[in-house]
Amino acid sequence: MADERDEPSKARAPEELAGQDAFEQRKHLLDRSVIAVPLLEQILRNPRKRRAVIVDVDLDHPGGTTMAKARVVAAIEEIAPGREAVDAVKTAALTQYVVATLSGTEIRRLVRMDREWSSSGRARCIHRIWPDFPLEAHITRSVRTVKCDAARIAYSALGEGITWAVMDSGIDGSHVHFVEHRNLSNVAGERKLPWAHQDFTGGDSPLTDDFGHGTHVAGILAGEVLAFAARRPADAAEPAGVVAGA
């Protein structure tokens, strides 16, 4: 769907403007298209309050995201001199975002500056400005979120007796969980199982993981029930050590 900012300007009848200046109306439409609606609503309620925001730069900027970010940072420093409005650490860690704390008035001035760059022949740098929403972990709810509880109830599918294969960045065989529960072993009792770990990169180290993602995935499939262990009373029985399926 086309963004409002991409719509060509059209002549409007006086009655359409309903007494509002045409330029002001167009400016408001631009604000609505660049400033995310939740943030715009906050600004309209209290334009002077400073809020944590994330400026999403234009991925199609001719100079790339590096130049777009640099121009946005420079503009924020001009708008809010004398204080560290930009979170330099977070901004440096992100490819296409600038993290800052700005008032509603400053945010709208930043949008105007970006529009002025465009009108002067330079490419716009800002795609959208979002509130920096607070996040919280919901790891203890993951089974319910992906509907695994329904599968467990309907099919008694608890993952027991199932062998999983993970093709990823490897698995850290020295991780304390896999060492303790020995659930990377291809030996069952005295019988060797008809499979073995494989390294498809041309090397011979499937039980190393330089990136950590394969270990993360394997932990989801066969991870210890830490969430329940952390909350059980001191005198409660030990929980089951391994969840073989997720």
Side-chain angles (χ1 to χ4, degrees), residues 2 5 19 29 31 36 39 49 70 93 108 127 129 161-162 188 212 219 234 243 245:
R5 62 186 177 184
L29 289 176
D31 284 356
L39 178 59
K49 182 178 178 180
R108 301 190 87 156
H127 171 62
I129 304 178
I162 295 176
V243 177

Side-chain angles (χ1 to χ4, degrees), residues 182 184-193 195:
R182 295 186 296 176
L184 293 180
S185 174
N186 64 335
V187 177
E190 297 181 357
R191 181 172 62 91
K192 187 169 184 178
L193 301 175
W195 57 268

Side-chain angles (χ1 to χ4, degrees), residues 26-139:
R26 288 171 57 196
K27 183 175 70 173
H28 180 63
L29 289 176
L30 177 70
D31 284 356
R32 286 184 55 194
S33 64
V34 176
I35 303 173
V37 171
L39 178 59
L40 187 59
E41 291 174 346
Q42 294 174 9
I43 291 173
L44 292 175
R45 285 196 298 268
N46 188 347
R48 295 185 179 182
K49 182 178 178 180
R50 291 176 181 171
R51 297 174 175 85
V53 298
I54 297 177
V55 181
D56 186 358
V57 302
D58 190 348
L59 296 179
D60 295 326
H61 190 279
T65 57
T66 300
M67 179 178 289
K69 285 178 62 177
R71 285 187 173 175
V72 170
V73 169
I76 292 174
E77 290 175 347
E78 179 181 339
I79 291 169
R83 66 181 180 90
E84 296 180 0
V86 175
D87 189 319
V89 174
K90 290 183 179 179
T91 298
L94 299 170
T95 303
Q96 69 185 74
Y97 303 105
V98 175
V99 182
T101 301
L102 298 169
S103 69
T105 303
E106 292 167 340
I107 292 168
R108 301 190 87 156
R109 184 180 172 192
L110 180 62
V111 172
R112 288 197 300 272
M113 289 180 70
D114 192 45
R115 182 175 63 247
E116 290 165 1
W117 293 336
S118 175
S119 62
S120 65
R122 293 186 294 176
R124 291 183 56 186
C125 298
I126 300 173
H127 171 62
R128 189 147 296 145
I129 304 178
W130 305 91
D132 190 356
F133 292 108
L135 302 177
E136 53 186 54
H138 292 284
I139 296 174

Side-chain angles (χ1 to χ4, degrees), residues 159 164-166 177-178 183 215-223 242-246:
W164 292 82
V166 176
H177 167 75
F178 299 118
N183 48 3
T215 305
H216 165 71
V217 172
I220 294 173
L221 296 172
V242 177
V243 177

